[in-house]
Amino acid sequence: MNDQIISGIGITCGHFQHVRHDPPWTVREWVTTDLGRKQHLGMQLNCKKCDREEPVDAIGAS
């Protein structure tokens, strides 16, 4: 299985989000190259943690 993880992305709501390319369930081939990632800088992501009304994430939180 090809499961490439881009390190957590901080989004403006204060949550972190991993973006994966995990075919066939999630196809985001752009995360597999530097150019693809650079082309998606500033892309808006839906925050599922906000949908669940979770508190913001903090670095080093356990």
Side-chain angles (χ1 to χ4, degrees):
M1 174 191 314
N2 182 10
D3 185 13
Q4 296 191 22
I5 302 171
I6 302 309
S7 60
I9 298 171
I11 50 183
T12 58
C13 62
H15 291 117
F16 304 139
Q17 183 169 333
H18 289 283
V19 180
R20 299 176 185 260
H21 174 59
D22 185 18
W25 300 282
T26 305
V27 178
R28 291 188 185 109
E29 292 181 6
W30 59 267
V31 304
T32 64
T33 66
D34 286 336
L35 178 61
R37 292 187 294 272
K38 287 177 184 176
Q39 289 175 335
H40 283 80
L41 288 175
M43 182 178 98
Q44 291 187 352
L45 301 172
N46 179 53
C47 182
K48 293 179 181 183
K49 291 181 180 182
C50 281
D51 293 344
R52 296 188 299 259
E53 298 181 2
E54 294 183 18
V56 297
D57 294 322
I59 295 175
S62 48

